[in-house]
Amino acid sequence: MHSNDDEYYEEYEEEEYYEEYEEEYEEEYEEEAYYVHVVSAGESLSVIAKMYYGDASMWPAIFEANQDIIKNPNLIRVGQELIIPEYHAGC
């Protein structure tokens, strides 16, 4: 039992919030297979596309999947977490 009931309820509410957020995130992406890539120094969307798809010209797929955080495809920041959708040949 917690010595301070207020701390207990704050921790419970915080856990509940993260569980709810996690469920929403999983629902949004549950039908798609994807990777999460953390941008490193010197990387561009074309470099990342080459890493995951073997084809640098596939960078628009990464840009489209991350338009909520990338406004200009030429300006990505070190440390950004990007969704990398799974590539399906012929789609």
Side-chain angles (χ1 to χ4, degrees):
M1 180 149 245
H2 291 271
S3 60
N4 185 337
D5 285 341
D6 289 340
E7 286 180 21
Y8 174 76
Y9 289 116
E10 285 176 14
E11 287 178 21
Y12 178 77
E13 288 174 359
E14 195 172 293
E15 286 176 23
E16 201 172 82
Y17 168 79
Y18 286 115
E19 287 174 4
E20 184 177 313
Y21 175 78
E22 186 176 54
E23 286 174 11
E24 287 176 19
Y25 186 81
E26 287 174 355
E27 286 173 10
E28 184 175 344
Y29 291 102
E30 71 182 2
E31 294 180 13
E32 283 185 49
Y34 65 93
Y35 302 95
V36 175
H37 177 83
V38 179
V39 177
S40 297
E43 291 184 331
S44 64
L45 292 181
S46 59
V47 167
I48 296 167
K50 178 75 172 168
M51 289 169 52
Y52 286 90
Y53 305 134
D55 184 354
S57 70
M58 293 294 298
W59 69 265
I62 299 170
F63 177 62
E64 288 178 26
N66 293 280
Q67 286 185 349
D68 57 327
I69 60 170
I70 301 174
K71 302 305 175 202
N72 180 337
N74 297 313
L75 299 175
I76 59 173
R77 295 185 325 263
V78 171
Q80 275 184 312
E81 292 186 359
L82 303 179
I83 299 296
I84 311 297
E86 187 174 291
Y87 174 67
H88 299 282
C91 291

